[in-house]
Amino acid sequence: MLGLLPDTAVAKYLSRGMQSGRENPPQVALRKASTPLRDTEAVRWRTPPIRELVEQAMTRFDDNRSSADGWLAPRLHATLRMTRAEAADGRLWNHLAMLVAPDYVVWRHKQAEVAQSSRFCGPHYTQCFSRLWWAAELFRDGPDYGPVRVACTTQDVLNTTLRLDVIDHRPTAQALVRVFERLFSTRAARPGDHVNALSSAVNAAGSTLVYDVLAPDAPRLYDELHDWITESEEAPPVHWERLPEGPDDGRVPQASVEALVPLFDKLLAEAPLRRRGRTHPSEPSPEPSLPVQRQGVSLEKDLPPWMA
């Protein structure tokens, strides 16, 4: 069963040998440092289904590991059913990374001999499993995980767009996905640069434009979300060949998405690209770096009492 592992325990026991995959985590010490979840017998906290997912991802995508994100994100979200308030507890993701699937963290994020410590214990947009769950949560359209797969096409969406305040506004997230999908279909050179430029421009414009006025969202259906979480006790494992269905807690109003797409198209056309290095000495110098992003999706929500 999953548990809650504090950051201090990760800092104490995470070794360079574990980050490189040469050492196994000290299971006994980590379990002693963990706290059981409140409803310890709930099926949704069982770890075997998560192990099956990560093992399948490692088998399927060993030749292109970043592609595992788009496959795993919706399936992890549909398997680990919980509220945003529950997902905001970093101790849960620490436990998953250190005790359940440390091999996946190394497999997916090992660079220059080791996986960064922030992939085991870090912000929601950096930690190996948290970033995937939140990508699925923020980019899904009600029960439809299709937009999540598009969002995970390039790492820049997860590395940059996922950090933005404005991505918590569902019509903004869906409008961005629509623009990204069209961008990817054109096979534009350096699509990640365009993603970063648009994300920065949208976030900056959000400081002066009120997106929820331009494109109002529909109320979230919390009872339906609660039902979906409760159904995890009897739900079959997610399908490996087709996308699962998420909670039917309300789709994003299409009129609101369509109101934002032309604005985002204009921002994309006007946004300066941050060049990632010159390919020829005759090319001009790189553009100045983009402004620092405002960070922090709102993880804590004003929710009904049962979701606290």
Side-chain angles (χ1 to χ4, degrees):
M1 305 297 288
L2 282 170
L4 304 175
L5 182 67
D7 293 354
T8 52
V10 179
K12 180 178 180 180
Y13 293 110
L14 181 61
S15 66
R16 191 169 182 84
M18 288 175 54
Q19 291 174 258
S20 66
R22 295 192 304 270
E23 297 177 2
N24 293 321
Q27 293 274 335
V28 174
L30 289 170
R31 292 190 186 282
K32 287 182 177 179
S34 299
T35 302
L37 288 161
R38 187 171 50 188
D39 47 345
T40 55
E41 300 303 318
V43 171
R44 64 189 177 122
W45 302 131
R46 293 182 61 230
T47 60
I50 300 173
R51 275 303 314 179
E52 291 180 7
L53 282 177
V54 299
E55 288 170 6
Q56 184 65 202
M58 288 188 286
T59 299
R60 286 174 174 246
F61 300 99
D62 194 45
D63 58 343
N64 187 3
R65 300 184 180 189
S66 63
S67 296
D69 293 346
W71 185 89
L72 184 56
R75 290 168 176 83
L76 177 65
H77 187 274
T79 299
L80 195 49
R81 301 186 182 190
M82 55 184 164
T83 67
R84 288 190 177 190
E86 290 170 329
D89 192 338
R91 297 175 300 167
L92 177 74
W93 304 112
N94 293 345
H95 190 278
L96 179 51
M98 294 288 287
L99 279 153
V100 181
D103 53 337
Y104 184 85
V105 181
V106 175
W107 175 86
R108 173 63 185 86
H109 293 291
K110 183 177 179 179
Q111 294 180 346
E113 304 301 325
V114 298
Q116 294 179 344
S117 59
S118 60
R119 299 301 186 180
F120 291 87
C121 174
H124 75 278
Y125 49 80
T126 301
Q127 203 271 353
C128 177
F129 297 106
S130 177
R131 69 199 282 268
L132 298 179
W133 193 95
W134 281 103
E137 173 66 13
L138 294 169
F139 286 109
R140 67 180 174 87
D141 184 8
D144 182 11
Y145 286 118
V148 179
R149 190 160 52 184
V150 174
C152 293
T153 300
T154 177
Q155 290 300 294
D156 294 272
V157 176
L158 297 178
N159 294 338
T160 302
T161 314
L162 192 61
R163 305 182 181 207
L164 307 181
D165 290 336
V166 294
I167 208 65
D168 197 29
H169 180 239
R170 295 196 305 159
T172 294
Q174 293 304 311
L176 280 170
V177 166
R178 189 174 296 184
V179 175
F180 291 156
E181 184 173 24
R182 191 164 60 242
L183 173 67
F184 301 152
S185 68
T186 64
R187 300 186 181 277
R190 298 190 305 275
D193 288 355
H194 294 276
V195 166
N196 288 329
L198 176 59
S199 298
S200 183
V202 167
N203 203 49
S207 62
T208 56
L209 299 174
V210 183
Y211 291 135
D212 55 1
V213 173
L214 294 174
D217 195 1
R220 300 290 296 277
L221 306 177
Y222 292 114
D223 287 343
E224 283 73 4
L225 174 61
H226 181 241
D227 291 343
W228 181 75
I229 293 173
T230 302
E231 289 167 3
S232 63
E233 299 298 309
E234 301 176 355
V238 296
H239 203 283
W240 291 348
E241 304 301 335
R242 63 172 182 266
L243 285 175
E245 289 190 4
D248 194 7
D249 55 352
R251 289 183 177 268
V252 179
Q254 288 304 299
S256 294
V257 177
E258 292 167 4
L260 291 177
V261 168
L263 172 61
F264 292 173
D265 282 335
K266 185 173 185 293
L267 290 175
L268 176 62
E270 297 175 350
L273 296 181
R274 175 172 57 84
R275 303 296 296 278
R276 301 186 183 186
R278 287 176 285 180
T279 58
H280 190 277
S282 63
E283 290 191 16
S285 299
E287 295 281 353
S289 297
L290 294 175
V292 175
Q293 308 289 339
R294 290 188 297 137
Q295 298 181 0
V297 169
S298 177
L299 305 187
E300 297 292 346
K301 301 293 178 186
D302 292 327
L303 301 179
W306 60 265
M307 299 181 71

